[in-house]
Amino acid sequence: MMTKTNDKLSFRVSAGLKNLIGRDLISDKYIAVFELVKNSYDAGASKVEISYLVSDEGMGKIIISDNGSGMTYNDIIQKWLFVAYSEKKPQNRSKSTYREEIKREVAGAKGVGRFSCDRLGASLQLITKTKKEIQAHVVDVNWSRFELDDTKEFMEIPVDYSKIDQLPSGFSNGTTLMVTDLRETWDRDALLKLKHSLMKLISPDADKGELPFDIKMIVPSEKNTDEKLLESYKKGENSKKKINPDRDIVNGKIKNDIFEKLNIKTTNIEVNISEDGRSITSTLSDRGKYIFTVKEKNRKYGLLKNIHISVFYLNQSAKVNFTRQMGGVTPKSYGSVFIYKNGFRINPYGEAGQDFFGIDQRKAQGWKRFLGTREIMGRISIKGDNEQFIETTSRAHGFIQTPAVNMLTELFIEKVLKVLEKYVVHLINWGEPLKSNHNHIISPEEIGNKIVSQFITSINTADILSVKCNPEILNTDTPMKKPDSITSSLKKLESVAEKTQDEGLLKLAQSVKKRTEAILSDNIKLEEDNAAKEKELEQIRQESEVRKKQVYFLSGAANQNVNNLIGGFHTVYTLTDAIKGNINFLREELSKGKAANEETILMVIGEIYQANEKAHKLSDLAIHGNQTLKQDGSNSIYDFIRQYIDADLAIKGIEYVVIPDDGVFNCKFDASAIGVILDNISSNSIKAGATKLYISLKDTQKYVEISFTDNGIGLDKDIDIDMLFEWGVSNNFSKKGFGIGLYHIKQLVEEMKGTVTIDTTYRDGFRLVVKLRR
């Protein structure tokens, strides 16, 4: 007998496959409803109605209707009836027709969610319609037909197709699923459990920047019971169990009851991995008060991106408030840390008794030092493709274990749980009353210096991108002990670094000092000593710090420095005296009865104009700012320009963009002159039709180079560039406004021993480059 070789074979698919990917796979009826709601979300629906109807014979029916995109006949044939096909998978999205205008990340991409209907009931009627179609398509599926004979192939089992005039939901487009011959009964308890599950289904930040998504339950048979409970609630009648209208009423819109919605003030940590996965930002708050934010490079968790984690610590007070607001539901029975992907919850993360991160196992090793699932509550939100986070087909066992999933566990323990424990356990004593003083609970204001030492000193210096602290919390005096500021904390850090000569600590001290210098100069005072001499020394140190950082505009006119004003007015007097002398000179020339030298008159008028501009600017700075007005040595031109704009002194009508967003750029300059220069440039740019003025700074060996670039109409091609800096010369003045302004800009820059040029190569507007000596 000869054997055939090189034949091509193919698999056959039994009708029994239906059970494997339907009723047997999705073993939980609530998860079955979840999957169908996800399909509505992915179809772009803004409304989903879940109805449970009971016939006169006592037969139940579940109806899930949405106002999504709906499906065409081709969609039904090529996609819905195509087993395990999902156009939501990345490789199939380019082929999508009905999803072209949906701007949402998909919640599911397995292609088996439609078989959730089999888990709910033996019969399904699908009715769907797109906005452009006149009639709706109807598909009737009897799942029992697939169970009669396993020897039959899947494709041999027919489903019935027809058309009707409109959707039974009343929506103009969308899909309605009618499930009958239900496999389980749905009593009030089951319906409430479904509602409670759906309340956790959607992340509170799922729809930020996207379409709204509302879920409504409609159960006529429970309407009377609902009304009685609501009436009892409104009357405030006493009962053993308090009523929570959002949780204990079956009918109505489903509201998300995630922890943030309850507004319970307790300790909260938020950790964000940027969309590109390059940075991690951690923010700590306590009892409604912001404490600090640290941004660092993401070196260790390279597979993670676009992830947001928000976790709350529940002390006894928070637990009591939670239970009260939830109508008797305890945190223990509610759950712990839930995981959401693209807005939808991934089961069973967060369920009571589930501990996928090994939190309770870790707590058992040191229960006095570690937090457990009963003491924390929150969520992890994963957005975007994040293809390594793949939900198991059964939908009841979370994610398939991948390196990214394991990395997420490590991130949670190291960057969330341990950081929260440092604060809760070691600093605020679990947020509970002290054993030594039962009436006192440690507040964040009392431990500002310890917060710095606990958190900032534990971060890898090389990875720090930015550090921000709340100066009010870190500097508030308390009756408990002498106040200790960030300044003293940094000094302690520097002292330890010097003693140990540890390279990491030395670098850290420098980094933290640099990144907190704005706070130090604006808000943080050095510690005061009791002795009078020490107080005088403290005042000298504060004034030195202000001069060092060039904080030009600290407050309003009520806090003016008298000496500064006196010095400023003296300068104004000198300028007005010069103006008076020039005016008298002109008067004498004109009284001679003959035409005076035109060049001489223009020169004198120019000097008058320039002196008047400087006097006006000095007065403006004196009224709005608290600065010396007379600069000695090199100072930060960046700080002056940035704060000049922020103090609202700059001309309005144009947007100022300062590049880079921080820096020093020390050079020699006159504050009033820089103010006049910036005002003249802004005025010219506005006349040229510009909407933005870009100010970029660059350090060179001898100069600080400042480029002023606008997006106006630019220079006329035939203009003589050199002539623009002459008195009265304009480049089409009616449109551009160049002339006197540029002449005086040059005069002021040269007074400061600098240079000014026009960049003739720039064609997308106008660019002026000023160089000032360092």
Side-chain angles (χ1 to χ4, degrees), residues 677-688:
I677 290 171
L678 182 56
D679 288 351
N680 278 316
I681 292 173
S682 304
S683 177
N684 286 343
S685 294
I686 292 170
K687 291 173 184 176

Side-chain angles (χ1 to χ4, degrees), residues 651-657 680-694 708-715 735-738 762 764-767:
I651 289 178
K652 298 175 179 59
I654 195 167
E655 180 184 349
Y656 297 90
V657 182
N680 278 316
I681 292 173
S682 304
S683 177
N684 286 343
S685 294
I686 292 170
K687 291 173 184 176
T691 58
K692 291 185 177 182
L693 179 63
Y694 298 90
F708 300 90
T709 307
D710 70 29
N711 61 347
I713 60 176
L715 292 171
K735 293 182 180 180
K736 300 298 295 291
F738 298 116
Y762 189 74
D764 295 328
F766 179 76
R767 176 175 288 163

